[in-house]
């Protein structure tokens, strides 16, 4: 490919909406073009990167016995009504009515389509297990598109669905997918991807993992144990607290005029926030009824854990004048009847706490949950924090990191097959619901995440396995017939050896050509100029700066091919 003919401009300053480096570099480098919020077109370099990632994924899915299929993007709403998701999913699901008046949706994921495809054909236990997958466009009307391809509204996803006749078989296959995912990320050149235990939503018992590329710009918060390797999304991380009981004291009401926050009361009464029973108030989405969580004063509630515990959706409460609770002074003693309460496990075992007295300007001291309330049933709804006790090895060394979710795998069980009435006949001729697993990777998000992880100030540093081209040849003197003949010669020879070459044949200053080359991020650069011609060599350098040297004309193409192969080998299976 000649740069002179390549569509797409490279420029110095990023568009103003680029706050993340990878977004800025991919916009500046002519990889993609903004069309509308969360919607981009890709130029050829961007498309080639995505294509290479897709090929890696395809290879891993085929090796995991996958059958590549293709589901429609536009689907009848009736299919989504069967699964219940037509109503349970919010405005992220794009809905419309076609010209005949049929309700339709745009696929944001394809569990329904997978069940639809398989349910009439896989009728006997002998047809199982099997896995179907596709690499295709998804549409999600995301509330907050951000970071270029990291969070978009239209994107390419690889989504796979496996079907099994037993839990054991699903678990066996899940492990195969877990390994395939590790291979995908390593082969694509992502350096810092870890798998973390993730929140399985309200489906109970299900197992799921997210693959997280560790990055400061990630939207997910992860709890990691450097000692034993435990890792979990904050939304799934168990918080274990062992409290010192403290000296029991009598329950006493004390005046705390105008002291409504933990900080206020704690400095007023000279007690640490750890000795507080704090109240956090939510409302049930369905009817706005109150839910009050009591938790140790120094901790926060994780809303996802709370939601899973409750089994219904909630939002932070707006407490008005006529509310039955007294904001700033809410506590478990004398708490109004009929309001749902949750006691976080962080309160377990403490004998002497400060809590609100459920009246204005007063708190209790000496609150002992068990003494005052009898048996308390505790739930773990706390947000994990740095230095927390690792739930796996028990050491107080949890560290908190940010990550970008590049893929996830999920043991779905019979959720969809039951809802959509997919059955098979088992060995005894009895109808059974198959168990499902699902496995997703965001192709564009992975490309952008790798750029985020692997770049310098001047541009992306693409791993050889996904680079848009393997070698860039820079002709520094297009007006010189000898230099041009040399340049075109090496391009031809390399291409004849199967090397993918981008050839910069433009009559521009070397500085401008190199700035563009940095933005292309191609791993190996070959410079042809009067100076190199004088020495009878090509100057070869690596985009990651690990090598720079002369390669003599004689045998140059073979030598460069070898360099490419050596780089490729780093990402081999
Ligand atoms: P997130 O929590 O980031 O919204 P998700 O849990 O909704 O992700 P899934 O529905 O499991 O994601 O989709 C599978 C994969 O598709 C994700 O792991 C991610 O790589 C990718 N993906 C999801 N949403 C987007 C998006 N809006 N833009 C780009 N890629 C996405
Ligand atoms: Mg999402």
């Amino acid at each position: 490919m000649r740069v002179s003919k390549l569509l797409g401009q490279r420029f110095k300053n990023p568009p103003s909406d680029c706050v993340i480096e990878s977004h800025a570099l991919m916009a500046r480098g002519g990889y993609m073009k903004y069309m509308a919020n969360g919607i981009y077109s890709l130029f050829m370099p961007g498309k080639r990167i995505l294509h290479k990632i897709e090929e890696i994924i395809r290879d891993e899915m085929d090796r995991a016995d996958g059958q590549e299929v293709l589901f429609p993007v536009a689907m009848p709403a009736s299919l989504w009504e069967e699964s219940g998701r037509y109503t349970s999913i919010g405005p992220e699901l794009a809905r419309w009515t076609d010209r005949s008046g049929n309700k339709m949706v745009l696929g944001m994921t394809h569990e329904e389509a997978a069940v639809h495809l398989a349910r009439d054909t896989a009728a006997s236990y002998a047809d199982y297990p099997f896995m179907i997958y596709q690499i295709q466009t998804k549409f999600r009307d995301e509330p907050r598109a951000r970071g270029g391809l990291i969070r978009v509204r239209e994107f390419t996803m690889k989504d796979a669905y496996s079907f099994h006749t037993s839990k054991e078989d699903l678990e066996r296959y899940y492990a195969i997918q877990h390994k395939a995912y590790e291979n995908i990320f390593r082969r694509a050149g992502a350096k810092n991807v870890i798998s973390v235990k993730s929140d399985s939503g309200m489906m109970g018992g299900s197992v799921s993992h997210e693959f997280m590329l560790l990055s400061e710009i990630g939207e997910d918060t992860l709890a990691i144990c450097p000692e034993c390797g435990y890792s979990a999304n904050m939304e799934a991380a168990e918080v274990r607290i062992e409290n010192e009981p403290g000296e029991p004291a009598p329950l006493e009401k004390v005046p705390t005029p105008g002291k409504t926050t933990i900080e206020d009361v704690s400095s007023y009464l000279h007690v640490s926030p750890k000795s507080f029973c704090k109240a956090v108030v939510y409302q049930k989405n369905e009817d706005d009824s109150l839910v009050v969580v009591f938790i140790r004063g120094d901790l926060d509630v994780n809303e996802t854990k709370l939601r899973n515990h409750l089994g219904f959706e909630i939002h932070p409460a707006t407490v008005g004048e006529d509310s039955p609770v007294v904001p700033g002074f809410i506590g478990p003693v004398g708490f109004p009847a009929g309001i749902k309460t949750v006691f976080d496990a962080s309160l377990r075992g403490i004998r002497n706490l400060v809590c609100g007295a459920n009246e204005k300007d007063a708190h209790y001291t000496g609150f002992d949950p068990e003494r005052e309330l009898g048996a308390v049933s505790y739930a773990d709804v706390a947000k994990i924090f740095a230095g927390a006790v690792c739930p796996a090895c028990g050491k107080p060394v949890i560290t908190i990191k940010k990550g970008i979710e590049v893929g996830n795998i999920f043991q779905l069980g019979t959720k969809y097959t039951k809802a959509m009435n997919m059955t098979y006949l088992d060995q005894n001729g009895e109808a059974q619901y198959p168990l499902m697993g699902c496995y997703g990777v965001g192709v564009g998000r992975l490309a952008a995440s790798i750029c985020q992880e692997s770049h310098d100030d001047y541009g992306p540093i693409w791993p050889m396995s996904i680079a848009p081209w393997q070698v860039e040849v820079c002709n520094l003197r297009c007006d010189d017939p000898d230099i041009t003949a040399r340049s075109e010669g090496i391009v031809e020879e390399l291409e004849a050896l199967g090397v993918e070459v981008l050839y910069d044949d433009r009559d521009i200053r070397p500085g401008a050509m190199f700035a563009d080359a940095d933005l292309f991020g191609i791993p190996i650069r070959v410079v042809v100029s009067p100076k190199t011609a004088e020495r009878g060599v090509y100057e070869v350098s690596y985009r990651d700066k690990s090598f720079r040297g002369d390669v003599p004309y004689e045998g140059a193409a073979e030598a460069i091919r070898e360099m490419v192969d050596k780089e490729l080998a780093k990402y081999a299976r």
Side-chain angles (χ1 to χ4, degrees):
M1 182 71 212
R2 285 171 182 259
V3 178
S4 61
K5 297 279 175 247
L6 182 67
L7 194 67
Q9 227 178 336
R10 283 148 306 281
F11 42 92
K12 215 168 174 168
N13 296 315
S16 60
D17 64 325
C18 299
V19 286
I20 289 167
E21 295 98 313
S22 57
H23 183 194
L25 294 175
M26 289 181 74
R28 283 180 52 209
Y31 292 84
M32 55 200 237
K33 181 163 181 183
Y34 177 91
M35 184 185 275
N37 180 32
I39 298 184
Y40 293 88
S41 295
L42 294 180
F43 287 107
M44 188 181 184
K47 174 62 189 161
R48 284 180 70 93
I49 292 167
L50 262 62
H51 177 75
K52 287 192 174 177
I53 293 177
E54 288 170 17
E55 287 299 298
I56 292 170
I57 295 175
R58 188 170 276 122
D59 182 55
E60 288 295 335
M61 291 300 108
D62 291 346
R63 287 170 191 263
D65 295 328
Q67 307 176 29
E68 187 167 0
V69 298
L70 188 62
F71 301 119
V73 176
M75 287 174 275
S78 57
L79 205 58
W80 286 63
E81 277 162 348
E82 279 187 52
S83 71
R85 290 208 289 188
Y86 189 70
T87 42
S88 71
I89 292 182
E92 240 176 290
L93 178 65
R95 302 159 163 92
W96 92 101
T97 305
D98 71 11
R99 62 199 295 165
S100 314
N102 302 307
K103 286 188 290 173
M104 305 287 291
V105 302
L106 291 184
M108 53 180 287
T109 164
H110 279 86
E111 281 78 6
E112 285 80 358
V115 170
H116 174 265
L117 187 73
R119 72 177 156 192
D120 304 319
T121 35
S124 154
Y125 69 92
D127 300 323
Y128 292 78
F130 60 92
M131 184 274 262
I132 50 183
Y133 78 95
Q134 65 165 351
I135 299 176
Q136 204 229 31
T137 303
K138 299 275 184 275
F139 185 85
R140 295 181 180 185
D141 204 352
E142 295 271 359
R144 277 173 300 277
R146 82 185 261 277
L149 298 185
I150 288 181
R151 185 173 296 284
V152 275
R153 296 197 298 159
E154 183 179 303
F155 58 100
T156 304
M157 193 202 288
K158 183 285 295 178
D159 44 327
Y161 307 90
S162 68
F163 293 79
H164 309 268
T165 56
S166 71
K167 191 165 177 289
E168 292 68 41
D169 194 54
L170 170 58
E171 284 168 359
R172 172 196 63 81
Y173 189 72
Y174 185 82
I176 290 175
Q177 280 290 334
H178 193 286
K179 181 77 195 130
Y181 269 54
E182 289 173 351
N183 291 341
I184 289 167
F185 300 121
R186 194 182 51 73
R187 290 175 65 184
K191 295 188 278 274
N192 294 300
V193 176
I194 61 166
S195 94
V196 304
K197 196 168 155 287
S198 67
D199 161 46
S200 307
M202 290 177 206
M203 288 185 284
S206 315
V207 175
S208 59
H209 285 86
E210 289 160 335
F211 288 80
M212 293 284 180
L213 187 141
L214 299 177
S215 166
E216 282 304 312
I217 64 123
E219 287 178 66
D220 283 274
T221 307
L222 317 173
I224 296 171
C225 174
E227 293 281 331
C228 75
Y230 167 87
S231 56
N233 194 307
M234 183 176 249
E235 300 184 334
E238 189 189 324
V239 175
R240 266 203 217 161
I241 304 258
E242 269 152 45
N243 285 309
E244 291 290 327
E247 280 302 308
L251 187 70
E252 245 179 276
K253 196 187 282 182
V254 293
T256 48
K259 311 290 180 210
T260 56
T261 66
I262 298 279
E263 295 76 56
D264 289 350
V265 188
S266 114
S267 61
Y268 187 68
L269 298 178
H270 307 292
V271 279
S272 104
K274 277 193 170 179
S275 302
F276 269 77
C277 167
K278 165 168 92 175
V280 190
V281 190
Y282 293 93
Q283 280 171 299
K284 187 173 178 174
N285 283 8
E286 216 174 289
D287 57 6
D288 273 354
S289 61
L290 294 178
V291 176
V292 175
V293 181
F294 294 112
I295 187 168
R296 208 174 72 181
D298 59 321
L299 300 180
D300 293 314
V301 174
N302 181 282
E303 286 178 20
T304 304
K305 286 168 74 175
L306 177 61
R307 227 171 252 132
N308 291 342
H309 168 73
L310 292 168
F312 53 79
E313 293 293 319
I314 41 111
H315 60 271
T318 34
V319 181
E321 287 286 297
D322 52 349
S323 172
V325 296
V326 192
F329 303 95
I330 303 169
V333 180
F335 186 73
I339 296 176
K340 172 88 188 157
T341 55
V342 176
F343 285 82
D344 183 70
S346 56
L347 296 171
R348 189 188 277 133
I350 318 184
R351 313 285 304 274
N352 183 353
L353 289 157
V354 176
C355 64
N358 298 304
E359 60 184 67
K360 209 168 165 353
D361 298 339
H363 279 79
Y364 281 113
T365 58
F367 169 56
D368 176 340
E370 251 114 278
R371 188 183 66 198
E372 261 75 58
L373 308 171
V376 179
S377 128
Y378 294 103
D380 171 23
V381 295
K383 194 186 266 182
I384 200 151
F385 50 92
V389 168
C390 169
C393 73
K395 296 196 181 118
V397 291
I398 286 291
T399 57
I400 303 294
K401 290 200 170 142
K402 289 283 186 185
I404 308 169
E405 182 197 316
V406 285
N408 70 13
I409 59 177
F410 206 120
Q411 293 182 20
L412 288 170
T414 54
K415 181 179 154 84
Y416 292 91
T417 53
K418 253 190 195 155
M420 299 180 70
N421 199 28
M422 171 176 180
T423 58
Y424 66 93
L425 294 181
D426 70 10
Q427 265 138 317
N428 307 316
E430 278 173 36
Q432 304 284 359
Y433 297 114
L435 290 94
M436 282 175 78
C438 72
Y439 319 90
V441 179
V443 180
R445 182 182 286 184
L446 179 56
S449 305
I450 291 172
C451 177
Q452 183 65 30
E453 174 183 67
S454 181
H455 70 268
D456 59 18
D457 290 347
Y458 308 102
I461 303 173
W462 297 112
M464 186 62 91
S465 56
I466 66 162
W469 288 272
Q470 296 168 331
V471 171
E472 176 170 350
V473 173
C474 295
N475 176 353
L476 295 194
R477 285 291 297 277
C478 292
D479 56 337
D480 180 329
D482 288 344
I483 300 303
T484 299
R486 266 292 157 206
S487 303
E488 288 177 2
I490 190 69
V491 170
E492 261 171 46
E493 278 181 63
L494 284 168
E495 284 180 342
L497 291 176
V499 176
E500 302 164 9
V501 185
L502 181 68
Y503 172 36
D504 202 338
D505 59 338
R506 293 171 302 164
D507 190 6
I508 57 171
R509 284 181 303 102
M513 191 178 281
F514 292 148
D516 277 5
D518 283 342
L519 283 168
F520 285 127
I522 293 167
I524 296 178
R525 187 181 306 175
V526 176
V527 173
V528 195
S529 70
K531 267 195 217 148
T532 61
E534 231 167 70
R535 301 202 295 277
V537 299
Y538 298 109
E539 190 188 273
V540 175
S541 60
Y542 283 26
R543 177 67 184 81
D544 67 5
K545 299 195 166 71
S546 61
F547 172 82
R548 175 184 218 112
D550 286 349
V551 174
Y553 284 159
E554 184 71 31
E558 288 75 15
I560 296 167
R561 164 88 252 183
E562 238 170 72
M563 293 173 166
V564 170
D565 287 343
K566 227 170 146 183
E567 281 301 301
L568 280 176
K570 290 186 187 166
Y571 308 101
R573 198 162 189 276

